[in-house]
Amino acid sequence: MSIQAIQQAIEEFNTIIIHRHVRPDPDALGSQAGLRELIKASYPMKQVYVVGEDDPSLTFMVEMDQISDDVFENALIIICDTANTGRIDDSRYQLGAKIIKIDHHPNVDPYGDISWVDTTASSTSELIYEFFVTAEGLTMNAATARLLYGGIVGDTGRFLFPSTTKKTLQYAAELVTYDFDRTQLYDGIYNVKDHIARMRGYILQNFTLDSDGLSVVKLTRDILNQFHVSPLETGQLVGTLGEIDGILAWVFFIEEEDQIRVRLRSKGPVINEVAAKYRGGGHPLASGASIYSWDEAEHVVQDLKETIKQFNR
Ligand code: AMP
């Protein structure tokens, strides 16, 4: 079973380096750093590092380690919350001796010497907690609990999304018995700077909504500059349309330097097949893609319209 194989590999290696996907969200960081804390508390002699680029809006959760290439030699690499190798933050994972994948996204790219993928889990942080309860003799502490709880809260939209199961709530209930500051965690995840709030106002004023229930938001470079919002920060905005009656699926087009990033969300129609068609992927109801012109954006919109029409039929 993967959990035993993963524990065995952790016991075998003295150096362990944990990665996650680019443009991290709370679950990517929570699972990555939560696993680091779990291993450190359970095996204090091991060297455990977390790598990737920091996102300034999430450094309240954890800051990444800076390590040189030679640390990767003979290291065990664990990659959390990342479906495909193209999205692994820090490509030096390839220098490691053994690779483990732990994820809850559809397994479109089954990489790694050991792989544990469970799409029924709300989050990868939930899987790390499952690893703790199933593996033998591991130690949970408040630092680990805080990170895993933050990851679960982030990926379930505060336990709102349908991915939230009885198990998710049970694990969350166990995690809150540890002594960490939940309010500080919620403030860190959900409080936004005033420029983000103003951009939210712009989005609420300008989103389109067609008769099938598709909403489209286009954030050009000009608009992003006007509100002083970086493309990375748009991650804090994409949920804005989730509470509007009549919207079944929505798409944000975000103009970056070299591409237009597509962020797709849905309340029913499966949209990750559209994402896959445009060099992307993700979950059935939350996915992303990359396109290279505003003409291509119109194709994405047409494909989404068709997907929603089929869902409504
Ligand atoms: P985002 O809009 O970046 O929050 O992404 C939503 C979901 O889609 C996340 O689970 C991502 O892992 C996934 N995702 C976003 N972009 C891509 C991509 N280019 N390829 C594969 N999955 C993606």
Side-chain angles (χ1 to χ4, degrees), residues 57 189-204 207 215 217-219 223-224 227-244 250-254 263 265:
S57 73
I189 298 176
Y190 294 107
N191 284 7
V192 292
K193 298 261 188 306
D194 66 302
H195 66 293
I196 302 286
R198 288 179 212 287
M199 176 106 235
R200 202 172 267 174
Y202 171 87
I203 290 166
L204 288 168
F207 70 88
S215 178
V217 172
K218 289 182 184 166
L219 301 180
I223 292 167
L224 292 169
F227 286 91
H228 307 289
V229 169
S230 72
L232 188 63
E233 288 175 318
T234 60
Q236 299 170 54
L237 292 159
V238 71
T240 300
L241 302 182
E243 292 162 5
I244 298 168
W250 66 102
V251 55
F252 274 49
F253 294 107
I254 299 128
R263 291 178 182 266
R265 296 292 186 272

mmCIF file of all heavy atoms in Angstrom, residues 57 189-204 207 215 217-219 223-224 227-244 250-254 263 265:
data_model
loop_
_atom_site.group_PDB
_atom_site.id
_atom_site.type_symbol
_atom_site.label_atom_id
_atom_site.label_comp_id
_atom_site.label_asym_id
_atom_site.label_seq_id
_atom_site.Cartn_x
_atom_site.Cartn_y
_atom_site.Cartn_z
ATOM 1 N N SER A 57 1.814 36.864 -0.486
ATOM 2 C CA SER A 57 0.528 36.904 0.239
ATOM 3 C C SER A 57 0.341 35.665 1.124
ATOM 4 O O SER A 57 -0.599 35.614 1.922
ATOM 5 C CB SER A 57 -0.644 37.049 -0.733
ATOM 6 O OG SER A 57 -0.868 35.848 -1.430
ATOM 7 N N ILE A 189 -5.558 34.026 5.298
ATOM 8 C CA ILE A 189 -6.063 33.465 4.032
ATOM 9 C C ILE A 189 -7.075 34.415 3.394
ATOM 10 O O ILE A 189 -7.080 34.602 2.179
ATOM 11 C CB ILE A 189 -6.709 32.071 4.259
ATOM 12 C CG1 ILE A 189 -5.665 31.069 4.784
ATOM 13 C CG2 ILE A 189 -7.310 31.529 2.956
ATOM 14 C CD1 ILE A 189 -6.212 29.686 5.143
ATOM 15 N N TYR A 190 -7.946 35.043 4.205
ATOM 16 C CA TYR A 190 -9.101 35.739 3.623
ATOM 17 C C TYR A 190 -9.042 37.256 3.640
ATOM 18 O O TYR A 190 -9.751 37.899 2.871
ATOM 19 C CB TYR A 190 -10.398 35.243 4.269
ATOM 20 C CG TYR A 190 -10.616 33.788 3.910
ATOM 21 C CD1 TYR A 190 -10.442 32.786 4.843
ATOM 22 C CD2 TYR A 190 -10.930 33.431 2.606
ATOM 23 C CE1 TYR A 190 -10.593 31.452 4.487
ATOM 24 C CE2 TYR A 190 -11.081 32.102 2.238
ATOM 25 C CZ TYR A 190 -10.909 31.120 3.192
ATOM 26 O OH TYR A 190 -11.038 29.812 2.822
ATOM 27 N N ASN A 191 -8.234 37.857 4.516
ATOM 28 C CA ASN A 191 -8.157 39.324 4.466
ATOM 29 C C ASN A 191 -7.437 39.744 3.194
ATOM 30 O O ASN A 191 -6.459 39.111 2.795
ATOM 31 C CB ASN A 191 -7.383 39.868 5.669
ATOM 32 C CG ASN A 191 -8.223 39.838 6.929
ATOM 33 O OD1 ASN A 191 -9.321 39.294 6.925
ATOM 34 N ND2 ASN A 191 -7.692 40.398 8.005
ATOM 35 N N VAL A 192 -7.922 40.792 2.551
ATOM 36 C CA VAL A 192 -7.254 41.251 1.337
ATOM 37 C C VAL A 192 -6.843 42.708 1.491
ATOM 38 O O VAL A 192 -7.446 43.462 2.264
ATOM 39 C CB VAL A 192 -8.157 41.111 0.082
ATOM 40 C CG1 VAL A 192 -8.394 39.660 -0.266
ATOM 41 C CG2 VAL A 192 -9.470 41.879 0.244
ATOM 42 N N LYS A 193 -5.829 43.078 0.734
ATOM 43 C CA LYS A 193 -5.393 44.481 0.718
ATOM 44 C C LYS A 193 -6.451 45.310 -0.009
ATOM 45 O O LYS A 193 -7.236 44.791 -0.807
ATOM 46 C CB LYS A 193 -4.059 44.579 -0.022
ATOM 47 C CG LYS A 193 -2.931 43.796 0.625
ATOM 48 C CD LYS A 193 -2.070 44.739 1.452
ATOM 49 C CE LYS A 193 -0.806 44.133 1.995
ATOM 50 N NZ LYS A 193 -0.949 42.904 2.769
ATOM 51 N N ASP A 194 -6.421 46.633 0.231
ATOM 52 C CA ASP A 194 -7.486 47.474 -0.332
ATOM 53 C C ASP A 194 -7.511 47.468 -1.858
ATOM 54 O O ASP A 194 -8.558 47.523 -2.481
ATOM 55 C CB ASP A 194 -7.398 48.903 0.218
ATOM 56 C CG ASP A 194 -6.146 49.600 -0.251
ATOM 57 O OD1 ASP A 194 -5.052 49.084 0.025
ATOM 58 O OD2 ASP A 194 -6.256 50.639 -0.923
ATOM 59 N N HIS A 195 -6.322 47.325 -2.511
ATOM 60 C CA HIS A 195 -6.345 47.338 -3.988
ATOM 61 C C HIS A 195 -7.051 46.087 -4.535
ATOM 62 O O HIS A 195 -7.702 46.142 -5.576
ATOM 63 C CB HIS A 195 -4.943 47.516 -4.575
ATOM 64 C CG HIS A 195 -4.003 46.373 -4.317
ATOM 65 N ND1 HIS A 195 -3.532 46.052 -3.072
ATOM 66 C CD2 HIS A 195 -3.468 45.468 -5.146
ATOM 67 C CE1 HIS A 195 -2.722 45.012 -3.153
ATOM 68 N NE2 HIS A 195 -2.671 44.624 -4.401
ATOM 69 N N ILE A 196 -6.946 44.988 -3.786
ATOM 70 C CA ILE A 196 -7.638 43.752 -4.217
ATOM 71 C C ILE A 196 -9.150 43.956 -4.042
ATOM 72 O O ILE A 196 -9.952 43.568 -4.902
ATOM 73 C CB ILE A 196 -7.163 42.538 -3.378
ATOM 74 C CG1 ILE A 196 -5.651 42.339 -3.498
ATOM 75 C CG2 ILE A 196 -7.944 41.273 -3.730
ATOM 76 C CD1 ILE A 196 -5.203 41.760 -4.806
ATOM 77 N N ALA A 197 -9.538 44.584 -2.934
ATOM 78 C CA ALA A 197 -10.969 44.827 -2.691
ATOM 79 C C ALA A 197 -11.556 45.719 -3.780
ATOM 80 O O ALA A 197 -12.672 45.495 -4.257
ATOM 81 C CB ALA A 197 -11.154 45.459 -1.311
ATOM 82 N N ARG A 198 -10.776 46.735 -4.206
ATOM 83 C CA ARG A 198 -11.278 47.637 -5.255
ATOM 84 C C ARG A 198 -11.407 46.914 -6.589
ATOM 85 O O ARG A 198 -12.355 47.121 -7.347
ATOM 86 C CB ARG A 198 -10.358 48.854 -5.397
ATOM 87 C CG ARG A 198 -10.500 49.786 -4.223
ATOM 88 C CD ARG A 198 -9.579 50.983 -4.316
ATOM 89 N NE ARG A 198 -9.202 51.377 -2.967
ATOM 90 C CZ ARG A 198 -10.005 51.981 -2.095
ATOM 91 N NH1 ARG A 198 -11.235 52.272 -2.434
ATOM 92 N NH2 ARG A 198 -9.584 52.288 -0.891
ATOM 93 N N MET A 199 -10.442 46.020 -6.857
ATOM 94 C CA MET A 199 -10.521 45.226 -8.090
ATOM 95 C C MET A 199 -11.741 44.304 -8.025
ATOM 96 O O MET A 199 -12.407 44.063 -9.035
ATOM 97 C CB MET A 199 -9.232 44.413 -8.215
ATOM 98 C CG MET A 199 -9.185 43.481 -9.371
ATOM 99 S SD MET A 199 -8.092 44.101 -10.662
ATOM 100 C CE MET A 199 -9.200 44.101 -12.017
ATOM 101 N N ARG A 200 -12.029 43.802 -6.829
ATOM 102 C CA ARG A 200 -13.219 42.965 -6.640
ATOM 103 C C ARG A 200 -14.472 43.761 -7.027
ATOM 104 O O ARG A 200 -15.364 43.254 -7.688
ATOM 105 C CB ARG A 200 -13.296 42.549 -5.161
ATOM 106 C CG ARG A 200 -14.117 41.329 -4.917
ATOM 107 C CD ARG A 200 -13.978 40.894 -3.476
ATOM 108 N NE ARG A 200 -12.921 39.917 -3.302
ATOM 109 C CZ ARG A 200 -12.508 39.462 -2.119
ATOM 110 N NH1 ARG A 200 -13.032 39.926 -1.005
ATOM 111 N NH2 ARG A 200 -11.566 38.564 -2.043
ATOM 112 N N GLY A 201 -14.485 45.032 -6.614
ATOM 113 C CA GLY A 201 -15.599 45.915 -6.972
ATOM 114 C C GLY A 201 -15.719 46.047 -8.481
ATOM 115 O O GLY A 201 -16.813 45.959 -9.042
ATOM 116 N N TYR A 202 -14.574 46.203 -9.161
ATOM 117 C CA TYR A 202 -14.586 46.319 -10.629
ATOM 118 C C TYR A 202 -15.176 45.039 -11.242
ATOM 119 O O TYR A 202 -16.014 45.105 -12.148
ATOM 120 C CB TYR A 202 -13.150 46.543 -11.134
ATOM 121 C CG TYR A 202 -13.043 46.450 -12.635
ATOM 122 C CD1 TYR A 202 -13.264 47.567 -13.444
ATOM 123 C CD2 TYR A 202 -12.749 45.233 -13.254
ATOM 124 C CE1 TYR A 202 -13.203 47.478 -14.831
ATOM 125 C CE2 TYR A 202 -12.696 45.126 -14.637
ATOM 126 C CZ TYR A 202 -12.918 46.253 -15.416
ATOM 127 O OH TYR A 202 -12.868 46.146 -16.785
ATOM 128 N N ILE A 203 -14.752 43.889 -10.716
ATOM 129 C CA ILE A 203 -15.226 42.611 -11.268
ATOM 130 C C ILE A 203 -16.737 42.490 -11.070
ATOM 131 O O ILE A 203 -17.471 42.107 -11.982
ATOM 132 C CB ILE A 203 -14.463 41.437 -10.599
ATOM 133 C CG1 ILE A 203 -13.013 41.446 -11.073
ATOM 134 C CG2 ILE A 203 -15.132 40.086 -10.899
ATOM 135 C CD1 ILE A 203 -12.087 40.577 -10.254
ATOM 136 N N LEU A 204 -17.201 42.858 -9.897
ATOM 137 C CA LEU A 204 -18.641 42.756 -9.613
ATOM 138 C C LEU A 204 -19.457 43.715 -10.480
ATOM 139 O O LEU A 204 -20.611 43.462 -10.785
ATOM 140 C CB LEU A 204 -18.897 43.005 -8.120
ATOM 141 C CG LEU A 204 -18.432 41.856 -7.218
ATOM 142 C CD1 LEU A 204 -18.444 42.270 -5.752
ATOM 143 C CD2 LEU A 204 -19.284 40.608 -7.414
ATOM 144 N N PHE A 207 -18.722 41.942 -14.672
ATOM 145 C CA PHE A 207 -18.804 40.563 -15.182
ATOM 146 C C PHE A 207 -19.990 40.441 -16.137
ATOM 147 O O PHE A 207 -20.988 41.148 -16.004
ATOM 148 C CB PHE A 207 -18.922 39.546 -14.036
ATOM 149 C CG PHE A 207 -20.233 39.569 -13.299
ATOM 150 C CD1 PHE A 207 -21.319 38.808 -13.731
ATOM 151 C CD2 PHE A 207 -20.382 40.355 -12.153
ATOM 152 C CE1 PHE A 207 -22.521 38.829 -13.045
ATOM 153 C CE2 PHE A 207 -21.585 40.387 -11.475
ATOM 154 C CZ PHE A 207 -22.655 39.632 -11.915
ATOM 155 N N SER A 215 -20.360 33.125 -16.994
ATOM 156 C CA SER A 215 -19.887 34.474 -16.718
ATOM 157 C C SER A 215 -18.428 34.594 -17.152
ATOM 158 O O SER A 215 -17.635 33.667 -16.953
ATOM 159 C CB SER A 215 -20.019 34.752 -15.219
ATOM 160 O OG SER A 215 -19.524 36.041 -14.952
ATOM 161 N N VAL A 217 -14.933 37.171 -17.220
ATOM 162 C CA VAL A 217 -14.228 38.369 -16.734
ATOM 163 C C VAL A 217 -12.903 38.458 -17.478
ATOM 164 O O VAL A 217 -12.132 37.493 -17.488
ATOM 165 C CB VAL A 217 -13.969 38.273 -15.212
ATOM 166 C CG1 VAL A 217 -13.082 39.414 -14.738
ATOM 167 C CG2 VAL A 217 -15.287 38.262 -14.443
ATOM 168 N N LYS A 218 -12.648 39.598 -18.112
ATOM 169 C CA LYS A 218 -11.379 39.785 -18.823
ATOM 170 C C LYS A 218 -10.546 40.824 -18.089
ATOM 171 O O LYS A 218 -10.971 41.978 -17.974
ATOM 172 C CB LYS A 218 -11.640 40.251 -20.253
ATOM 173 C CG LYS A 218 -12.238 39.158 -21.125
ATOM 174 C CD LYS A 218 -12.440 39.649 -22.540
ATOM 175 C CE LYS A 218 -13.129 38.543 -23.338
ATOM 176 N NZ LYS A 218 -13.665 38.981 -24.601
ATOM 177 N N LEU A 219 -9.406 40.419 -17.597
ATOM 178 C CA LEU A 219 -8.517 41.358 -16.904
ATOM 179 C C LEU A 219 -7.302 41.610 -17.786
ATOM 180 O O LEU A 219 -6.353 40.821 -17.815
ATOM 181 C CB LEU A 219 -8.116 40.800 -15.538
ATOM 182 C CG LEU A 219 -9.281 40.510 -14.574
ATOM 183 C CD1 LEU A 219 -8.772 39.958 -13.249
ATOM 184 C CD2 LEU A 219 -10.129 41.762 -14.338
ATOM 185 N N ILE A 223 -6.121 47.038 -17.223
ATOM 186 C CA ILE A 223 -6.988 47.022 -16.032
ATOM 187 C C ILE A 223 -6.182 46.598 -14.802
ATOM 188 O O ILE A 223 -6.300 47.191 -13.730
ATOM 189 C CB ILE A 223 -8.201 46.094 -16.264
ATOM 190 C CG1 ILE A 223 -9.096 46.715 -17.335
ATOM 191 C CG2 ILE A 223 -8.985 45.876 -14.972
ATOM 192 C CD1 ILE A 223 -10.145 45.794 -17.895
ATOM 193 N N LEU A 224 -5.338 45.581 -14.970
ATOM 194 C CA LEU A 224 -4.515 45.144 -13.830
ATOM 195 C C LEU A 224 -3.623 46.290 -13.345
ATOM 196 O O LEU A 224 -3.490 46.522 -12.139
ATOM 197 C CB LEU A 224 -3.664 43.929 -14.227
ATOM 198 C CG LEU A 224 -4.435 42.629 -14.491
ATOM 199 C CD1 LEU A 224 -3.538 41.581 -15.134
ATOM 200 C CD2 LEU A 224 -5.026 42.079 -13.195
ATOM 201 N N PHE A 227 -5.486 48.986 -11.343
ATOM 202 C CA PHE A 227 -5.792 48.629 -9.942
ATOM 203 C C PHE A 227 -4.538 48.185 -9.166
ATOM 204 O O PHE A 227 -4.645 47.765 -8.014
ATOM 205 C CB PHE A 227 -6.860 47.532 -9.902
ATOM 206 C CG PHE A 227 -8.235 48.053 -10.252
ATOM 207 C CD1 PHE A 227 -8.684 48.030 -11.562
ATOM 208 C CD2 PHE A 227 -9.062 48.597 -9.279
ATOM 209 C CE1 PHE A 227 -9.941 48.519 -11.902
ATOM 210 C CE2 PHE A 227 -10.320 49.095 -9.601
ATOM 211 C CZ PHE A 227 -10.761 49.065 -10.920
ATOM 212 N N HIS A 228 -3.390 48.227 -9.836
ATOM 213 C CA HIS A 228 -2.119 47.802 -9.214
ATOM 214 C C HIS A 228 -2.200 46.366 -8.703
ATOM 215 O O HIS A 228 -1.723 46.053 -7.605
ATOM 216 C CB HIS A 228 -1.715 48.751 -8.080
ATOM 217 C CG HIS A 228 -1.688 50.180 -8.494
ATOM 218 N ND1 HIS A 228 -0.739 50.703 -9.331
ATOM 219 C CD2 HIS A 228 -2.550 51.199 -8.220
ATOM 220 C CE1 HIS A 228 -0.982 51.978 -9.557
ATOM 221 N NE2 HIS A 228 -2.089 52.305 -8.907
ATOM 222 N N VAL A 229 -2.834 45.510 -9.490
ATOM 223 C CA VAL A 229 -2.959 44.097 -9.102
ATOM 224 C C VAL A 229 -2.044 43.274 -10.004
ATOM 225 O O VAL A 229 -2.046 43.447 -11.229
ATOM 226 C CB VAL A 229 -4.435 43.637 -9.264
ATOM 227 C CG1 VAL A 229 -4.550 42.128 -9.123
ATOM 228 C CG2 VAL A 229 -5.316 44.322 -8.215
ATOM 229 N N SER A 230 -1.238 42.401 -9.410
ATOM 230 C CA SER A 230 -0.364 41.544 -10.213
ATOM 231 C C SER A 230 -1.141 40.303 -10.655
ATOM 232 O O SER A 230 -2.104 39.908 -9.989
ATOM 233 C CB SER A 230 0.857 41.136 -9.390
ATOM 234 O OG SER A 230 0.459 40.206 -8.406
ATOM 235 N N PRO A 231 -0.729 39.672 -11.752
ATOM 236 C CA PRO A 231 -1.414 38.443 -12.189
ATOM 237 C C PRO A 231 -1.481 37.401 -11.074
ATOM 238 O O PRO A 231 -2.497 36.724 -10.911
ATOM 239 C CB PRO A 231 -0.564 37.957 -13.364
ATOM 240 C CG PRO A 231 0.029 39.213 -13.934
ATOM 241 C CD PRO A 231 0.296 40.083 -12.731
ATOM 242 N N LEU A 232 -0.417 37.292 -10.280
ATOM 243 C CA LEU A 232 -0.409 36.313 -9.188
ATOM 244 C C LEU A 232 -1.539 36.595 -8.188
ATOM 245 O O LEU A 232 -2.199 35.694 -7.689
ATOM 246 C CB LEU A 232 0.952 36.363 -8.475
ATOM 247 C CG LEU A 232 1.233 35.294 -7.433
ATOM 248 C CD1 LEU A 232 1.260 33.908 -8.068
ATOM 249 C CD2 LEU A 232 2.542 35.566 -6.712
ATOM 250 N N GLU A 233 -1.760 37.894 -7.920
ATOM 251 C CA GLU A 233 -2.781 38.269 -6.933
ATOM 252 C C GLU A 233 -4.203 37.956 -7.395
ATOM 253 O O GLU A 233 -5.130 37.951 -6.584
ATOM 254 C CB GLU A 233 -2.678 39.774 -6.621
ATOM 255 C CG GLU A 233 -1.458 40.129 -5.797
ATOM 256 C CD GLU A 233 -1.304 41.630 -5.601
ATOM 257 O OE1 GLU A 233 -1.511 42.394 -6.571
ATOM 258 O OE2 GLU A 233 -0.954 42.052 -4.488
ATOM 259 N N THR A 234 -4.407 37.698 -8.696
ATOM 260 C CA THR A 234 -5.769 37.424 -9.166
ATOM 261 C C THR A 234 -6.306 36.118 -8.574
ATOM 262 O O THR A 234 -7.507 35.890 -8.610
ATOM 263 C CB THR A 234 -5.851 37.367 -10.709
ATOM 264 O OG1 THR A 234 -4.989 36.333 -11.174
ATOM 265 C CG2 THR A 234 -5.469 38.686 -11.329
ATOM 266 N N GLY A 235 -5.419 35.302 -8.039
ATOM 267 C CA GLY A 235 -5.857 34.094 -7.320
ATOM 268 C C GLY A 235 -6.795 34.453 -6.173
ATOM 269 O O GLY A 235 -7.652 33.655 -5.786
ATOM 270 N N GLN A 236 -6.649 35.653 -5.629
ATOM 271 C CA GLN A 236 -7.508 36.090 -4.518
ATOM 272 C C GLN A 236 -8.859 36.613 -5.004
ATOM 273 O O GLN A 236 -9.705 36.990 -4.205
ATOM 274 C CB GLN A 236 -6.809 37.204 -3.725
ATOM 275 C CG GLN A 236 -5.477 36.771 -3.109
ATOM 276 C CD GLN A 236 -4.716 37.969 -2.559
ATOM 277 O OE1 GLN A 236 -5.234 38.738 -1.767
ATOM 278 N NE2 GLN A 236 -3.471 38.140 -2.979
ATOM 279 N N LEU A 237 -9.048 36.665 -6.333
ATOM 280 C CA LEU A 237 -10.252 37.282 -6.887
ATOM 281 C C LEU A 237 -11.185 36.316 -7.578
ATOM 282 O O LEU A 237 -12.364 36.614 -7.791
ATOM 283 C CB LEU A 237 -9.834 38.362 -7.901
ATOM 284 C CG LEU A 237 -9.148 39.573 -7.282
ATOM 285 C CD1 LEU A 237 -8.322 40.317 -8.312
ATOM 286 C CD2 LEU A 237 -10.202 40.490 -6.670
ATOM 287 N N VAL A 238 -10.665 35.149 -7.924
ATOM 288 C CA VAL A 238 -11.430 34.278 -8.820
ATOM 289 C C VAL A 238 -12.689 33.706 -8.155
ATOM 290 O O VAL A 238 -13.675 33.400 -8.824
ATOM 291 C CB VAL A 238 -10.497 33.187 -9.415
ATOM 292 C CG1 VAL A 238 -10.093 32.169 -8.398
ATOM 293 C CG2 VAL A 238 -11.108 32.532 -10.622
ATOM 294 N N GLY A 239 -12.689 33.638 -6.819
ATOM 295 C CA GLY A 239 -13.877 33.135 -6.115
ATOM 296 C C GLY A 239 -15.016 34.146 -6.024
ATOM 297 O O GLY A 239 -16.132 33.811 -5.635
ATOM 298 N N THR A 240 -14.727 35.391 -6.412
ATOM 299 C CA THR A 240 -15.672 36.507 -6.241
ATOM 300 C C THR A 240 -17.073 36.231 -6.803
ATOM 301 O O THR A 240 -18.059 36.714 -6.266
ATOM 302 C CB THR A 240 -15.071 37.773 -6.910
ATOM 303 O OG1 THR A 240 -13.843 38.053 -6.264
ATOM 304 C CG2 THR A 240 -15.977 38.977 -6.803
ATOM 305 N N LEU A 241 -17.139 35.462 -7.905
ATOM 306 C CA LEU A 241 -18.445 35.271 -8.548
ATOM 307 C C LEU A 241 -19.202 34.048 -8.029
ATOM 308 O O LEU A 241 -20.306 33.752 -8.483
ATOM 309 C CB LEU A 241 -18.254 35.149 -10.073
ATOM 310 C CG LEU A 241 -17.567 36.345 -10.734
ATOM 311 C CD1 LEU A 241 -17.471 36.146 -12.235
ATOM 312 C CD2 LEU A 241 -18.322 37.634 -10.437
ATOM 313 N N GLY A 242 -18.595 33.345 -7.073
ATOM 314 C CA GLY A 242 -19.159 32.066 -6.616
ATOM 315 C C GLY A 242 -20.513 32.160 -5.941
ATOM 316 O O GLY A 242 -21.237 31.174 -5.865
ATOM 317 N N GLU A 243 -20.856 33.351 -5.459
ATOM 318 C CA GLU A 243 -22.097 33.443 -4.678
ATOM 319 C C GLU A 243 -23.225 34.117 -5.439
ATOM 320 O O GLU A 243 -24.221 34.523 -4.858
ATOM 321 C CB GLU A 243 -21.824 34.247 -3.394
ATOM 322 C CG GLU A 243 -20.926 33.504 -2.443
ATOM 323 C CD GLU A 243 -20.309 34.419 -1.402
ATOM 324 O OE1 GLU A 243 -20.649 35.613 -1.364
ATOM 325 O OE2 GLU A 243 -19.468 33.921 -0.638
ATOM 326 N N ILE A 244 -23.061 34.246 -6.761
ATOM 327 C CA ILE A 244 -24.070 34.976 -7.531
ATOM 328 C C ILE A 244 -25.041 34.002 -8.176
ATOM 329 O O ILE A 244 -24.642 33.110 -8.930
ATOM 330 C CB ILE A 244 -23.386 35.877 -8.581
ATOM 331 C CG1 ILE A 244 -22.527 36.908 -7.841
ATOM 332 C CG2 ILE A 244 -24.423 36.536 -9.480
ATOM 333 C CD1 ILE A 244 -21.593 37.684 -8.685
ATOM 334 N N TRP A 250 -17.794 30.036 -14.530
ATOM 335 C CA TRP A 250 -17.198 31.333 -14.840
ATOM 336 C C TRP A 250 -15.740 31.179 -15.204
ATOM 337 O O TRP A 250 -15.096 30.199 -14.845
ATOM 338 C CB TRP A 250 -17.433 32.348 -13.739
ATOM 339 C CG TRP A 250 -16.806 32.142 -12.402
ATOM 340 C CD1 TRP A 250 -15.689 32.765 -11.925
ATOM 341 C CD2 TRP A 250 -17.282 31.301 -11.331
ATOM 342 N NE1 TRP A 250 -15.450 32.373 -10.624
ATOM 343 C CE2 TRP A 250 -16.407 31.468 -10.240
ATOM 344 C CE3 TRP A 250 -18.351 30.415 -11.193
ATOM 345 C CZ2 TRP A 250 -16.555 30.790 -9.022
ATOM 346 C CZ3 TRP A 250 -18.507 29.735 -9.983
ATOM 347 C CH2 TRP A 250 -17.624 29.930 -8.923
ATOM 348 N N VAL A 251 -15.287 32.174 -15.970
ATOM 349 C CA VAL A 251 -13.899 32.129 -16.436
ATOM 350 C C VAL A 251 -13.271 33.506 -16.292
ATOM 351 O O VAL A 251 -13.895 34.517 -16.600
ATOM 352 C CB VAL A 251 -13.816 31.615 -17.900
ATOM 353 C CG1 VAL A 251 -14.685 32.428 -18.851
ATOM 354 C CG2 VAL A 251 -12.376 31.578 -18.396
ATOM 355 N N PHE A 252 -12.058 33.523 -15.775
ATOM 356 C CA PHE A 252 -11.255 34.743 -15.714
ATOM 357 C C PHE A 252 -10.137 34.604 -16.755
ATOM 358 O O PHE A 252 -9.439 33.586 -16.776
ATOM 359 C CB PHE A 252 -10.588 34.889 -14.333
ATOM 360 C CG PHE A 252 -11.438 35.545 -13.295
ATOM 361 C CD1 PHE A 252 -12.737 35.142 -13.073
ATOM 362 C CD2 PHE A 252 -10.905 36.565 -12.498
ATOM 363 C CE1 PHE A 252 -13.511 35.742 -12.089
ATOM 364 C CE2 PHE A 252 -11.672 37.172 -11.512
ATOM 365 C CZ PHE A 252 -12.981 36.766 -11.303
ATOM 366 N N PHE A 253 -9.979 35.624 -17.595
ATOM 367 C CA PHE A 253 -8.825 35.690 -18.493
ATOM 368 C C PHE A 253 -7.894 36.753 -17.933
ATOM 369 O O PHE A 253 -8.314 37.917 -17.769
ATOM 370 C CB PHE A 253 -9.257 36.073 -19.907
ATOM 371 C CG PHE A 253 -10.120 35.027 -20.572
ATOM 372 C CD1 PHE A 253 -11.483 35.237 -20.740
ATOM 373 C CD2 PHE A 253 -9.563 33.834 -21.032
ATOM 374 C CE1 PHE A 253 -12.279 34.273 -21.356
ATOM 375 C CE2 PHE A 253 -10.352 32.877 -21.652
ATOM 376 C CZ PHE A 253 -11.717 33.091 -21.811
ATOM 377 N N ILE A 254 -6.673 36.386 -17.640
ATOM 378 C CA ILE A 254 -5.738 37.320 -17.016
ATOM 379 C C ILE A 254 -4.531 37.498 -17.934
ATOM 380 O O ILE A 254 -3.789 36.533 -18.186
ATOM 381 C CB ILE A 254 -5.299 36.801 -15.632
ATOM 382 C CG1 ILE A 254 -6.539 36.689 -14.730
ATOM 383 C CG2 ILE A 254 -4.257 37.714 -15.002
ATOM 384 C CD1 ILE A 254 -6.683 35.352 -14.086
ATOM 385 N N ARG A 263 -8.511 31.029 -15.768
ATOM 386 C CA ARG A 263 -8.913 30.392 -14.505
ATOM 387 C C ARG A 263 -10.387 30.045 -14.618
ATOM 388 O O ARG A 263 -11.220 30.931 -14.811
ATOM 389 C CB ARG A 263 -8.690 31.331 -13.323
ATOM 390 C CG ARG A 263 -7.221 31.607 -13.010
ATOM 391 C CD ARG A 263 -7.123 32.589 -11.860
ATOM 392 N NE ARG A 263 -5.777 32.949 -11.521
ATOM 393 C CZ ARG A 263 -5.048 32.343 -10.578
ATOM 394 N NH1 ARG A 263 -5.531 31.329 -9.901
ATOM 395 N NH2 ARG A 263 -3.825 32.755 -10.324
ATOM 396 N N ARG A 265 -13.923 28.108 -13.171
ATOM 397 C CA ARG A 265 -14.609 27.590 -11.991
ATOM 398 C C ARG A 265 -16.026 27.184 -12.396
ATOM 399 O O ARG A 265 -16.609 27.755 -13.323
ATOM 400 C CB ARG A 265 -14.715 28.665 -10.892
ATOM 401 C CG ARG A 265 -13.373 29.123 -10.330
ATOM 402 C CD ARG A 265 -12.678 28.040 -9.527
ATOM 403 N NE ARG A 265 -11.472 28.526 -8.867
ATOM 404 C CZ ARG A 265 -10.256 28.530 -9.429
ATOM 405 N NH1 ARG A 265 -10.076 28.101 -10.657
ATOM 406 N NH2 ARG A 265 -9.211 28.970 -8.752
#
